[in-house]
Amino acid sequence: MIGFEILSRKRAVSAELVEKFRKLPVANISDCMSRMAAGGARLRPMHDGTLLAGPALTVRTRPGDNLMVHKALGLAQPGDVIVVDAGGDLTNAIIGEIMTSYAESRGIAGIIINGAIRDSGAIRRSAFPVYAAGVTHRGPYKDGPGVINGTVALDGMTIEPGDLILGDEDGLLCIPFDQADEIYQKASAKHAAEEVTLAEIAAGKLNTSWVDARLQELGCALPAQK
């Protein structure tokens, strides 16, 4: 049936690379990706803020239905991040405490729901990473259809199975599999440069002359120097 299938994931970022990216803020990485990728402002951490990092296992499902999400929980490998595109609809919750507890028991790294969750109090107190667009007490259906390990998109951010998924308090980011090493090198350098800037601020030595230079370059009229 079209739109109702389970595909095989052909590749995934390595556990070593996942651990390296864990040390970098999502904002630094986003800057090094030309600020062109984001999971959308609606997808917020619903848990205690613990970092999210791991290769994507993708699910596309009919809004309000979680049958294929249950199947994905059984297919996922330890360290995987289950990314569910449920159309962004908030009418019915896709997951709750039982499913997140089961996912955590299997070593899954986290769950992203482009849709709603329930049992938000228990999830908020948990260290198991859950990102979602909203909360409702209304439960899901289990009829399908859906696709596991197909391409999904969250607010324009395309995610292929095996891509690296990162999440912190600022939101979600997908690192394409083929670009992960290059992006890590650039983001690591960016983070190191920001650490230097913070040290200069703490020492009262930050040079902000670039601000006036940029304003002059753009043609802004500045007050005459006295």
Side-chain angles (χ1 to χ4, degrees):
M1 178 187 296
I2 295 174
F4 204 1
E5 60 183 338
I6 299 171
L7 305 172
S8 297
R9 187 170 66 182
K10 305 298 184 183
R11 61 187 187 179
V13 292
S14 68
E16 293 76 17
L17 192 59
V18 171
E19 287 307 308
K20 288 165 67 174
F21 268 98
R22 278 184 177 276
K23 300 178 176 65
L24 302 176
V26 167
N28 286 168
I29 304 165
S30 177
D31 285 348
C32 295
M33 296 176 67
S34 301
R35 305 179 176 96
M36 291 291 289
R42 288 208 312 160
L43 294 174
R44 306 308 306 161
M46 298 290 177
H47 58 294
D48 72 354
T50 301
L51 262 169
L52 169 68
L57 188 156
T58 62
V59 182
R60 188 169 68 251
T61 187
R62 181 171 64 87
D65 193 287
N66 75 355
L67 176 62
M68 294 297 263
V69 182
H70 278 281
K71 181 61 178 178
L73 289 178
L75 292 174
Q77 299 298 309
D80 282 350
V81 175
I82 297 178
V83 182
V84 182
D85 181 6
D89 183 77
L90 305 181
T91 306
N92 298 84
I94 299 298
I95 63 169
E97 183 181 11
I98 288 177
M99 293 179 74
T100 58
S101 297
Y102 178 56
E104 186 174 19
S105 76
R106 299 202 64 249
I108 292 170
I111 302 178
I112 298 166
I113 304 291
N114 185 19
I117 65 164
R118 66 179 181 179
D119 303 324
S120 60
I123 290 172
R124 189 180 308 114
R125 293 186 293 270
S126 171
F128 180 76
V130 176
Y131 286 74
V135 176
T136 179
H137 55 77
R138 294 172 61 169
Y141 300 99
K142 295 174 173 59
D143 303 310
V147 177
I148 293 176
N149 282 326
T151 302
V152 298
L154 306 181
D155 201 28
M157 183 174 73
T158 302
I159 302 169
E160 300 283 353
D163 285 350
L164 174 58
I165 302 297
L166 299 171
D168 63 13
E169 293 92 339
D170 287 339
L172 295 163
L173 188 60
C174 174
I175 315 296
F177 178 91
D178 291 332
Q179 301 174 27
D181 288 316
E182 178 186 1
I183 291 171
Y184 173 76
Q185 297 301 325
K186 292 181 178 180
S188 183
K190 169 75 172 175
H191 183 54
E194 289 201 354
E195 291 293 300
V196 172
T197 299
L198 289 170
E200 291 173 344
I201 292 172
K205 298 180 179 179
L206 183 66
N207 183 349
T208 60
S209 61
W210 69 269
V211 178
D212 283 350
R214 180 60 172 156
L215 290 171
Q216 288 178 332
E217 178 187 349
L218 294 171
C220 178
L222 299 174
Q225 297 292 327
K226 293 183 180 180

